[in-house]
Amino acid sequence: MKHLEHNPLMYGLDNITNISLGDQNNTECSQIMIPHEIFLTLGLISLVENILVVLAIIKNRNLHSPMYYFICCLAVSDMLVSVSNVVETMFMLLTEHGLLVVTPHMMKHLDNVIDIMICSSVVSSLSFLSTIAADRYITIFYALRYHSIMTTQRAVAVIVIIWLTSTISSTLFIVYYTDNAVIICLVTFFCVTLIFTAVLYLHMFILANVHSRRIIAIPKSRHQATSMKGAITLTILLGVFIVCWGPFFLHLILILTCPKNPLCTCFFSHFNLFLILIICNSLIDPLIYAYRSHELRKTLKELVLCSRCF
């Protein structure tokens, strides 16, 4: 994705280094260069973190619930970003040092695969964030019927549908990348899922606040406390996702609305920073899981100690 000349969603951005502001005033917006080693280091750290999260959820039977299944899938989505970043950076480093010879045709195919992985990651991440929001909503407002509504079979079916949809749609996006409709679809999906999730959370917190005031003299049940803690955790995850992916989607919006505008093209020159933010999202998410879940944190400690023994 860092190869702008082959990047599907970044077409038309290969001339953003020097920008003319008019006949009288010329301003240069130099593309910010970030060492490949930083991309590689962040990618490896986030990859290890998310692998540990997946292993912890698989290992601990107490975490075998729909919400943690969705969190596990969210970790896999983050792993897609990490893997794509590590693979691409390794190829670039090996090529620059003359240790690997890659033809333009091979590099184009590699970029397409990497772009599909990143596109699948963002589509699946948004889908699973919305799914977890719906799961928390059902847990809070339909507590007595939760286990009959959100069964393991239904959770697995939702997971399969999301992954199939993400893979197919991402492949189509990359195949038809020259059409502006692709960017419009991505931006629309981003906005719709965020609005859907925000509405659910707003409804949850408003009604939970009203409910807690009515029964202030009655201690909260453990189930209610756990449900609200899960909702708060997912609110933090959503906020981090917006901060880290927001600039990238703003980048896409500006491609549609003002590709030639000097200010927009200056914004385009910061694209490498947007990539760093995306990788940071994959790096931060596991820390949030561990910080907010005692059970997951305990299992992660066991895995780390076990790996040290080996």
Side-chain angles (χ1 to χ4, degrees):
M1 199 169 185
K2 294 187 281 293
H3 294 287
L4 293 183
E5 65 273 22
H6 296 306
N7 192 303
L9 294 179
M10 300 305 123
Y11 67 92
L13 298 183
D14 51 337
N15 295 319
I16 64 175
T17 305
N18 298 317
I19 300 157
S20 174
L21 294 180
D23 295 333
Q24 296 180 344
N25 297 319
N26 292 326
T27 302
E28 289 189 355
C29 291
S30 299
Q31 184 178 356
I32 296 176
M33 303 305 296
I34 297 176
H36 298 321
E37 289 77 11
I38 293 180
F39 281 101
L40 184 61
T41 302
L42 292 177
L44 287 173
I45 293 173
S46 63
L47 180 60
V48 171
E49 286 182 351
N50 284 288
I51 289 174
L52 286 174
V53 169
V54 172
L55 291 177
I57 293 174
I58 293 173
K59 180 179 183 293
N60 192 336
R61 291 185 177 275
N62 293 331
L63 301 177
H64 290 185
S65 63
M67 188 188 82
Y68 280 102
Y69 293 154
F70 298 142
I71 287 179
C72 184
C73 290
L74 201 56
V76 174
S77 296
D78 287 337
M79 284 170 59
L80 288 177
V81 173
S82 302
V83 170
S84 63
N85 172 67
V86 169
V87 170
E88 184 179 21
T89 306
M90 286 295 294
F91 264 86
M92 293 174 70
L93 286 172
L94 291 173
T95 303
E96 287 180 2
H97 290 82
L99 300 175
L100 181 67
V101 178
V102 182
T103 64
H105 182 70
M106 290 174 58
M107 186 58 71
K108 183 176 181 180
H109 281 296
L110 175 64
D111 278 345
N112 287 339
V113 172
I114 288 171
D115 286 333
I116 289 174
M117 291 175 67
I118 293 177
C119 196
S120 297
S121 173
V122 66
V123 173
S124 59
S125 293
L126 283 168
S127 301
F128 284 118
L129 283 171
S130 298
T131 304
I132 296 171
D135 177 79
R136 293 299 86 195
Y137 187 88
I138 296 171
T139 305
I140 292 172
F141 295 108
Y142 301 93
L144 299 178
R145 297 172 52 201
Y146 174 78
H147 293 291
S148 61
I149 295 174
M150 188 58 73
T151 62
T152 301
Q153 291 81 2
R154 286 179 180 171
V156 171
V158 169
I159 290 170
V160 171
I161 290 171
I162 289 176
W163 279 120
L164 282 175
T165 305
S166 299
T167 304
I168 294 172
S169 61
S170 299
T171 304
L172 291 175
F173 286 162
I174 302 307
V175 171
Y176 298 101
Y177 70 89
T178 54
D179 195 338
N180 281 345
V182 170
I183 299 179
I184 294 173
C185 287
L186 275 175
V187 173
T188 302
F189 182 70
F190 177 75
C191 295
V192 169
T193 51
L194 288 187
I195 292 171
F196 170 77
T197 307
V199 168
L200 286 184
Y201 280 136
L202 188 62
H203 193 206
M204 276 191 283
F205 287 121
I206 289 176
L207 291 189
N209 186 43
V210 172
H211 186 65
S212 64
R213 287 181 179 178
R214 289 177 179 175
I215 59 171
I216 194 168
I218 304 174
K220 283 187 177 180
S221 68
R222 183 178 178 182
H223 175 78
Q224 286 176 319
T226 303
S227 299
M228 283 308 301
K229 185 176 180 180
I232 294 171
T233 300
L234 269 300
T235 304
I236 297 172
L237 287 171
L238 183 63
V240 171
F241 185 90
I242 293 172
V243 171
C244 293
W245 280 91
F248 174 77
F249 278 94
L250 178 58
H251 185 112
L252 297 183
I253 293 171
L254 295 180
I255 290 176
L256 294 174
T257 56
C258 58
K260 303 295 184 180
N261 185 283
L263 293 178
C264 295
T265 46
C266 274
F267 184 81
F268 297 153
S269 66
H270 296 79
F271 183 68
N272 280 335
L273 288 180
F274 309 155
L275 292 182
I276 288 291
L277 281 175
I278 290 172
I279 299 169
C280 285
N281 179 67
S282 302
L283 191 147
I284 294 171
D285 281 353
L287 301 179
I288 297 173
Y289 307 146
Y291 177 74
R292 297 290 301 175
S293 172
H294 172 73
E295 193 72 31
L296 182 59
R297 186 165 62 250
K298 182 180 71 174
T299 309
L300 286 171
K301 286 181 180 178
E302 292 173 1
L303 287 173
V304 172
L305 291 174
C306 183
S307 64
R308 284 182 178 178
C309 292
F310 281 107

